[in-house]
Amino acid sequence: MNVWIAVGLTAAGCYLAKYLGLLVPASALERPVVQRLAALLPVALLAALTAQQTFGDGRELVLDARLGGLAAAGLALVLRAPFLVVVAAAVAVTAGVRALG
């Protein structure tokens, strides 16, 4: 039952946050600092999620084949490869490292 209470409170909190966002005046949203933060925040959150999923395993730091895949994807991105090539490079390198280990 506690899980459903947590789910309900989280859903209510999300709706409340969305409603409060609608109440913010347009002048506050047009500030350059707010626009810069709005552009950079999703990137930072996605990077943090990627790092946590790649290097975390419960409460331990894990360096395994996923690190090679992430490095390959990063290199492909630096070389401006298309998205599917980035994913394919990450998958191929991860599989290769796992096959060697």
Side-chain angles (χ1 to χ4, degrees):
M1 187 65 176
N2 289 336
V3 173
W4 287 111
I5 293 171
V7 169
L9 290 175
T10 302
C14 289
Y15 281 116
L16 180 64
K18 186 153 182 88
Y19 179 72
L20 291 175
L22 294 173
L23 297 177
V24 175
S27 61
L29 299 175
E30 294 171 355
R31 295 180 183 160
V33 173
V34 174
Q35 290 180 348
R36 200 170 331 130
L37 283 174
L40 295 177
L41 192 60
V43 174
L45 291 173
L46 183 58
L49 178 62
T50 301
Q52 191 274 331
Q53 290 292 315
T54 301
F55 304 120
D57 184 25
R59 293 180 171 246
E60 297 177 0
L61 177 65
V62 177
L63 299 176
D64 58 4
R66 294 176 290 182
L67 177 61
L70 185 63
L75 179 63
L77 284 172
V78 168
L79 296 175
R80 299 202 181 263
F83 178 72
L84 290 177
V85 174
V86 172
V87 173
V91 167
V93 169
T94 302
V97 171
R98 285 185 177 163
L100 292 174

